[in-house]
C-alpha cells in the first residue's frame, strides 16, 4: 500500500464524522459533501506526514470550509425560491 492509499484509508475512517459536522453547520447534505471533498483536496495537497492528529486537523479544515461557505451565502444573499424541509 503506498502513502496516498494509506492516507485515503485514514480519511475514509473520518468521513462520517466530517460529513456530520458539515451537515450540522450547513443544513444541506449536498453542501456537506462539498465541504468534505474540499477537506480531502486540502489534505492531498498538504504534507500529511507533519499532521499529528489527523481527525482534529480534518475537523478544523471542514469547519473552516463550512464557515467560508456560510460567509459566501450572506455575501450573495441567496434566498430559497420555495419553502422546503432540510435534507
Amino acid at each position: 500500500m503506498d502513502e496516498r492509499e494509506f492516507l485515503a484509508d485514514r480519511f475514509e475512517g473520518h468521513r462520517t464524522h466530517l460529513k456530520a459536522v458539515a451537515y450540522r453547520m450547513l443544513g444541506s447534505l449536498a453542501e456537506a459533501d462539498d465541504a468534505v471533498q474540499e477537506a480531502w483536496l486540502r489534505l492531498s495537497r498538504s504534507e500529511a506526514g507533519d499532521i499529528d492528529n489527523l481527525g482534529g486537523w480534518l475537523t478544523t479544515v471542514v469547519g473552516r470550509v463550512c464557515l467560508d461557505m456560510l460567509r459566501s451565502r450572506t455575501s450573495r444573499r441567496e434566498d430559497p425560491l420555495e419553502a422546503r424541509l432540510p435534507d
Side-chain angles (χ1 to χ4, degrees), residues 12-45:
E12 286 301 321
H14 295 283
R15 182 182 286 275
T16 303
H17 167 73
L18 298 173
K19 190 170 180 180
V21 168
Y23 177 72
R24 283 192 297 267
M25 290 182 75
L26 299 169
S28 165
L29 288 174
E31 288 182 322
D33 283 335
D34 291 344
V36 172
Q37 182 64 29
E38 179 63 27
W40 165 250
L41 292 174
R42 291 184 186 190
L43 177 62
S44 67
R45 291 188 304 243

Side-chain angles (χ1 to χ4, degrees), residues 7 12 29 34 39 46 51 56 62 78 81:
L7 190 60
E12 286 301 321
L29 288 174
D34 291 344
S46 72
I51 300 171
V62 166
E78 293 179 359
L81 295 175

